[in-house]
Amino acid sequence: MSIRLPSADGGYRVHHPNPAPFADLTCGPARTRTFYSAAHVVADPLAASAGAGAVVDWDTTLAFRRRLWAQGLGVAEAMDTAQRGMGLDWPTAAELVRRSAAEAQAVGGRIVCGAGTDQLPAGVEHSLAAITAAYEEQLAHTEACGAGAVLMASRALAAAARGPEDYLEVYGGLLRQSARPVVLHWLGPMFDPELAGYWGHDDLDLATDVFLKIIAESPEKVDGIKVSLLDAEREVDIRRRLPAGVRCYTGDDYHYPQLIAGDGELASDALLGIFDPIAPIAARAAIALDGGDPAGFRDLLDPTVRLSRHLFAPPTRFYKTGVVLLAWLAGHQEHFTMVGGLQSARSLPHLATAYELADGLGLLPDPDRAEDRMRRLLSVYGVTS
């Protein structure tokens, strides 16, 4: 069998589906690293539209999380992969946190959940008190559900802060009242342009100094820092400067194999959106690392980088579209519809390449079904394959 796929240059190429895909496996969590997969949400296809509020298919969404836990991966819930700030509103995110935390407790799965300020109206400048109160509401909800919190970067704080001292005030207060250690999140502007200048500086060296000061004042309240800057050298520098016991969670979907493998002295843990589509390979790579086989770890994970760089190509914030496409092609959901209509955010050639790369890696368990679904998608665009 073969399928004709469109290219960005207007031409076509022939792809032969992979006859030997990876199967899911069942295993426990990694011992040598902490691995979290940020997970997407499955929209209700009968309710999803660009003008409608977020409507989630809860059964399918939670089934996907159980699949991640069964493969030894933790779940990072209600993060940007779940379309926070891009279709998923706070009331729906709060329900997602509640349901996922309960599922995690039922199966013994590891979970952390995003706590931010997105209940505040956009386009309005908010006071630091209002921003702090919004964070407190979400932090309290997450902890009441029994989950650890990821303090997400706040668009409202980025707009309101007059300098580093405002970040020190807001985050310092949150850390003092948190019931358990939290993960801080530095999400770069390539993921969200409204977060430019976070920590009070456009200069990344000065910005790094600010959040390191926040951590240094309450290291016992910080489990780790998730770095999503797509800058491997900066992440290596950050992890060398962290206090003992504070983790560096890589969010670098371009350089994750080398950052997780480490430099012989220090290594990054992981909280990655790319682990959503590559879970079967990530799980096997974790087993290799636990078994003292770093070469085997790299042999498994390095080939996935090409797919990841494609999915996270600029404009990076639309990577979720490719993630959900692959979940549909892999049979984890029955449609390619997203909250807010975000399935339209990538071009057909981009989606075709995502299919080709994922299939080449063996990530589509039923190649015939994936090929049929890709053909149907092509036909919607008027392409005969």
Side-chain angles (χ1 to χ4, degrees):
M1 294 292 290
S2 64
I3 180 171
R4 194 172 66 126
L5 300 175
S7 302
D9 62 5
Y12 290 88
R13 64 193 181 278
V14 174
H15 172 70
H16 299 278
N18 186 345
F22 280 102
D24 283 356
L25 76 166
T26 300
C27 61
R31 300 188 306 274
T32 53
R33 303 285 190 277
T34 299
F35 283 61
Y36 286 109
S37 170
H40 74 282
V41 292
V42 182
D44 179 341
L46 300 182
S49 73
V55 182
V56 173
D57 176 344
W58 294 112
D59 290 343
T60 309
T61 292
L62 295 174
F64 187 80
R65 280 136 182 80
R66 290 193 293 271
R67 173 179 168 268
L68 294 173
W69 284 316
Q71 295 180 92
L73 300 176
V75 169
E77 187 57 274
M79 303 280 291
D80 49 303
T81 303
Q83 295 184 239
R84 286 295 288 275
M86 293 185 70
L88 193 75
D89 56 24
W90 166 238
T92 311
E95 181 66 8
L96 179 62
V97 168
R98 186 189 69 79
R99 290 178 183 243
S100 289
E103 288 286 332
Q105 292 166 12
V107 302
R110 183 182 287 130
I111 190 170
V112 291
C113 300
T117 65
D118 51 330
Q119 70 269 56
L120 297 174
V124 178
E125 184 167 314
H126 301 279
S127 68
L128 292 185
I131 292 167
T132 299
Y135 263 129
E136 289 172 340
E137 177 190 354
Q138 296 199 17
L139 176 61
H141 175 75
T142 297
E143 292 184 335
C145 291
V150 179
L151 293 184
M152 301 176 69
S154 165
R155 291 174 179 173
L157 182 54
R162 297 294 178 261
E165 63 281 356
D166 289 343
Y167 290 89
L168 291 165
E169 176 184 339
V170 170
Y171 278 91
L174 293 170
L175 290 179
R176 283 191 292 273
Q177 64 183 282
S178 63
R180 61 174 74 184
V182 304
V183 177
L184 303 181
H185 189 188
W186 188 358
L187 192 68
M190 68 288 294
F191 287 93
D192 187 341
E194 294 186 47
L195 298 177
Y198 213 73
W199 309 113
H201 291 288
D202 289 314
D203 184 302
L204 296 183
D205 291 330
L206 296 176
T208 298
D209 290 340
V210 174
F211 84 74
L212 287 174
K213 183 176 181 181
I214 293 170
I215 295 172
E217 291 179 354
S218 303
E220 74 286 354
K221 289 296 189 78
V222 180
D223 171 64
I225 172 78
K226 170 174 158 50
V227 185
S228 299
L229 297 176
L230 306 182
D231 183 337
E233 291 184 6
R234 182 163 299 278
E235 181 172 323
V236 169
D237 175 67
I238 287 170
R239 74 188 185 195
R240 287 174 179 160
R241 298 170 63 188
L242 289 173
V246 176
R247 302 174 186 270
C248 182
Y249 289 99
T250 187
D252 187 333
D253 298 277
Y254 284 7
H255 306 100
Y256 51 95
Q258 69 200 61
L259 291 164
I260 298 169
D263 56 15
E265 296 181 10
L266 295 172
S268 296
D269 294 279
L271 198 165
L272 288 162
I274 191 57
F275 278 2
D276 179 308
I278 70 164
I281 298 177
R284 287 169 169 81
I287 291 171
L289 203 57
D290 282 350
D293 183 10
F297 169 83
R298 294 296 297 267
D299 287 345
L300 283 161
L301 218 53
D302 282 358
T304 68
V305 172
R306 185 181 175 198
L307 170 64
S308 189
R309 285 176 175 262
H310 177 73
L311 295 181
F312 286 79
T316 302
R317 63 188 181 278
F318 294 130
Y319 75 89
K320 298 94 167 170
T321 301
V323 168
V324 175
L325 170 80
L326 296 183
W328 173 55
L329 295 177
H332 304 311
Q333 58 191 80
E334 292 304 313
H335 61 84
F336 177 39
T337 305
M338 297 177 67
V339 171
L342 203 64
Q343 69 273 7
S344 66
R346 292 291 201 185
S347 70
L348 184 62
H350 178 94
L351 300 178
T353 298
Y355 158 70
E356 182 179 35
L357 293 174
D359 181 63
L361 290 167
L363 290 170
L364 305 177
D366 185 337
D368 291 339
R369 176 176 57 195
E371 180 187 353
D372 176 67
R373 289 184 171 186
M374 193 67 212
R375 286 184 187 278
R376 286 190 276 140
L377 180 63
L378 292 171
S379 71
V380 169
Y381 285 80
V383 174
T384 302
S385 58

